[in-house]
Amino acid sequence: MVLKQASRSGQLKLSTEYVQSQFTWVVSLALTLIFLFNSFDWGTGSMQTIGFTAFAAYGLFTILQIIITVLIRTDLMKHGEIRGSTRALGYVQLLSVATGNIFIVASAFHLIKKKKSAEYTLAVYLLLTQLFVIVLSALNLFKPYVSDTFLPAMFVLAVVLLFDLIVLGLTAKYVSYDQAPKWMVYIAVPLIITSITGNLFALLLGVSLLIKVRSSYTVTSGKWERVWGKITQNTTSMLGLFFIILMFAISVCSYFTFDYDMAIENNYSAILQTPSLSYPLGTDHFGRDLFSRIVFGARISLIVGFMSTLIPVIIGGILGALAGYYGRRADNVIMRLLDVLYAIPGILLAIAIIAAFGANTTNLIIALSVGSIPTYARTMRANVLMVSNFEYVDAARAFGSSNLSIIFKHIVPNSLAPMIVKSTLTIGGAVIATSSLSYLGLGVEPHIPEWGNILKVGSTYLESHSYLAIYPGLAIVALVLSFNFLGDGLRDALDPKLD
């Protein structure tokens, strides 16, 4: 009896549905309490209708999520599996998409299907990302005017959404953990094409389907399956990836669905407006729409964050690979020079470079990149020193391969996993550094909507119009946390000790 109870308790920990359901109701409860707090007007002592409605809707679905969590626990403890009646409640929770509660919606999709492939999870987040992009873009309808390309762009996004819904249905029905029908290749190719909208889940799903429909699996495809299988089972990693891709997708689509003038042109008739349908996040002291400014600011933060990470990954990776492979004199020269650079604090080096060459986006990327090169070089060097002793490297030497061929064909590809994890974990730091330098006036030009610039303006109105600082601050925190969550998931998925 004791062994049986221990086995049931172990099932709770291994059940992804139970773990995700627990995480979901805790986060949803926190959001519900936030809506309750914001629904009360402390100045007049009255309740705000919109805020209270949001609180009631979130509270209703949160209560149901708690009930579902209890039912899942009961089913696993008594029957060893989740009953169909409990899974059916997931269809009810799908209605929470109307409230924008991504946590409950993702948990519901996860609950309703018993056997889930990595492709099914990617298809779910593909659909949710496309839906959120459309909803966020549709808020422009309440503005005084919209972009000239708004209507055709929204039509294209709606067609893509319909296609994504079909893909989700086909993936749920025909794709299993270890196989997919060959005709899915005709779905995968259009999926990859639709990724031009910025929804990178379409690219990931398309590539994954192409790999799975192959009749014979290579070592690479097997590793792909293992990695994405682990990542898609990690709730926090997928939510982090969802927010990152959502920011990227809305940044791409904003070229056609948002009017840039709303973010940069002064509108003195709408100065310091509180959040409303016309201005979802309010306006600043020049009457500029804060919602539009944050959307366009995401583009800058992502570009600077990615580029200031990619450049040191490439340069540091090459230097580290050469130092680790050749050793001795080459190692001493390269690493000692990088040690000198490493001794200078990164933020001070960035400030010095910007002060010398001027504050603009290009100089900001260069300034943040230079200080990160030594850390990536050290990471690559350590991995190259380990991989260089493997038998396949000795075999390549015996067959007469050149040193450069051995380095870049055999050693570097097998040393990239730690570099990928490190870059994902540190890109959040690049986003923070970008916003910090812009806040200090040493980053992106002041007239460009960037989260640091927006936060700098909002900080002067903390007492009277605190939302001007809260919203860009939350955007920065959410993006940095998303990269950290994704980095943690990649670290676990790429760790061979956990296979």
Side-chain angles (χ1 to χ4, degrees):
M1 185 68 179
V2 175
L3 292 176
K4 188 175 181 180
Q5 289 180 343
S7 176
R8 301 297 192 198
S9 299
Q11 281 186 317
L12 289 178
K13 296 179 181 180
L14 295 176
S15 172
T16 55
E17 290 92 346
Y18 180 70
V19 172
Q20 184 168 2
S21 186
Q22 273 193 317
F23 171 81
T24 298
W25 78 257
V26 171
V27 175
S28 185
L29 179 62
L31 293 174
T32 303
L33 295 176
I34 291 173
F35 278 117
L36 175 61
F37 180 80
N38 290 328
S39 66
F40 187 76
D41 189 338
W42 299 97
T44 61
S46 60
M47 279 287 184
Q48 297 179 352
T49 305
I50 297 178
F52 185 78
T53 302
F55 155 72
Y58 267 67
L60 177 63
F61 286 108
T62 300
I63 292 173
L64 182 55
Q65 187 64 39
I66 295 174
I67 294 174
I68 290 175
T69 305
V70 174
L71 290 175
I72 292 175
R73 178 183 175 85
T74 303
D75 290 347
L76 291 174
M77 294 296 289
K78 288 185 177 181
H79 309 286
E81 63 178 2
I82 303 174
R83 294 178 301 168
S85 58
T86 302
R87 292 187 182 276
L89 292 176
Y91 290 100
V92 179
Q93 289 294 72
L94 288 179
L95 298 175
S96 64
V97 70
T99 67
N101 194 331
I102 178 64
F103 304 99
I104 288 183
V105 176
S107 179
F109 272 114
H110 197 67
L111 178 63
I112 59 179
K113 186 166 176 61
K114 185 175 182 179
K115 295 182 179 180
K116 296 167 282 293
S117 63
E119 288 74 22
Y120 172 76
T121 304
L122 290 174
V124 167
Y125 283 97
L126 165 70
L127 180 67
L128 292 177
T129 302
Q130 192 68 21
L131 180 61
F132 272 70
V133 168
I134 291 176
V135 171
L136 291 176
S137 300
L139 292 175
N140 287 301
L141 287 171
F142 299 100
K143 289 183 169 53
Y145 56 90
V146 295
S147 171
D148 294 336
T149 57
F150 177 79
L151 289 179
M154 291 296 288
F155 175 76
V156 171
L157 291 175
V159 172
V160 174
L161 177 67
L162 180 61
F163 174 68
D164 293 342
L165 183 60
I166 295 173
V167 169
L168 175 61
L170 294 175
T171 304
K173 186 174 182 180
Y174 295 105
V175 179
S176 63
Y177 179 78
D178 56 353
Q179 62 182 355
K182 293 184 180 296
W183 57 262
M184 288 294 287
V185 69
Y186 299 108
I187 300 296
V189 174
L191 263 176
I192 295 175
I193 295 174
T194 61
S195 65
I196 61 174
T197 62
N199 192 343
L200 297 183
F201 279 117
L203 178 62
L204 294 173
L205 179 57
V207 171
S208 186
L209 288 174
L210 286 177
I211 292 175
K212 185 161 281 189
V213 296
R214 296 169 64 181
S215 57
S216 59
Y217 291 97
T218 63
V219 175
T220 303
S221 65
K223 186 175 182 180
W224 171 278
E225 292 295 327
R226 290 195 301 273
V227 169
W228 279 107
K230 289 182 178 180
I231 292 177
T232 52
Q233 291 175 10
N234 190 319
T235 302
T236 55
S237 294
M238 288 305 299
L239 289 173
L241 183 60
F242 165 78
F243 187 78
I244 294 168
I245 293 181
L246 176 61
M247 289 293 99
F248 181 76
I250 196 67
S251 298
V252 172
C253 294
S254 64
Y255 281 104
F256 308 100
T257 58
F258 282 74
D259 195 302
Y260 193 60
D261 289 342
M262 296 289 293
I264 61 172
E265 294 294 333
N266 298 342
N267 182 8
Y268 296 109
S269 63
I271 293 177
L272 296 176
Q273 295 286 322
T274 56
S276 62
L277 286 177
S278 298
Y279 305 103
L281 302 182
T283 61
D284 63 10
H285 61 308
F286 287 127
R288 298 172 297 191
D289 178 37
L290 185 61
F291 178 58
S292 299
R293 287 177 64 78
I294 289 178
V295 168
F296 287 111
R299 185 186 307 168
I300 302 296
S301 295
L302 287 173
I303 290 175
V304 176
F306 273 110
M307 292 305 299
S308 61
T309 302
L310 180 63
I311 292 174
V313 165
I314 295 174
I315 298 176
I318 293 174
L319 293 176
L322 295 175
Y325 182 79
Y326 287 104
R328 295 185 180 179
R329 188 172 299 174
D331 188 17
N332 284 329
V333 172
I334 294 174
M335 297 312 296
R336 295 302 76 77
L337 290 175
L338 291 178
D339 284 343
V340 174
L341 186 60
Y342 190 73
I344 306 173
I347 192 68
L348 293 181
L349 180 62
I351 291 174
I353 294 175
I354 293 172
F357 298 101
N360 57 59
T361 306
T362 303
N363 290 341
L364 177 60
I365 293 174
I366 295 173
L368 293 176
S369 301
V370 171
S372 300
I373 292 175
T375 58
Y376 288 101
R378 288 185 171 187
T379 302
M380 177 58 79
R381 175 182 175 273
N383 286 281
V384 168
L385 287 173
M386 178 182 63
V387 174
S388 297
N389 296 318
F390 289 169
E391 293 180 356
Y392 61 82
V393 176
D394 294 332
R397 290 195 188 99
F399 279 106
S401 299
S402 65
N403 288 329
L404 290 179
S405 176
I406 293 174
I407 292 173
F408 293 105
K409 286 186 178 180
H410 301 284
I411 296 178
V412 171
N414 290 283
S415 304
L416 285 179
M419 295 286 284
I420 294 172
V421 174
K422 181 177 179 59
S423 62
T424 310
L425 288 170
T426 57
I427 196 172
V431 173
I432 292 178
T434 302
S435 301
S436 300
L437 290 172
S438 297
Y439 183 87
L440 296 173
L442 297 171
V444 179
E445 296 92 325
H447 67 279
I448 295 179
E450 191 275 332
W451 288 350
N453 288 336
I454 301 170
L455 185 61
K456 180 179 180 179
V457 172
S459 63
T460 60
Y461 292 90
L462 278 174
E463 294 185 0
S464 58
H465 299 82
S466 58
Y467 58 86
L468 291 175
I470 291 175
Y471 293 130
L474 287 176
I476 295 170
V477 171
L479 187 60
V480 172
L481 280 178
S482 296
F483 277 113
N484 290 341
F485 289 154
L486 178 60
D488 289 339
L490 282 172
R491 181 184 58 199
D492 295 340
L494 294 172
D495 189 351
K497 296 178 182 178
L498 299 178
D499 286 340

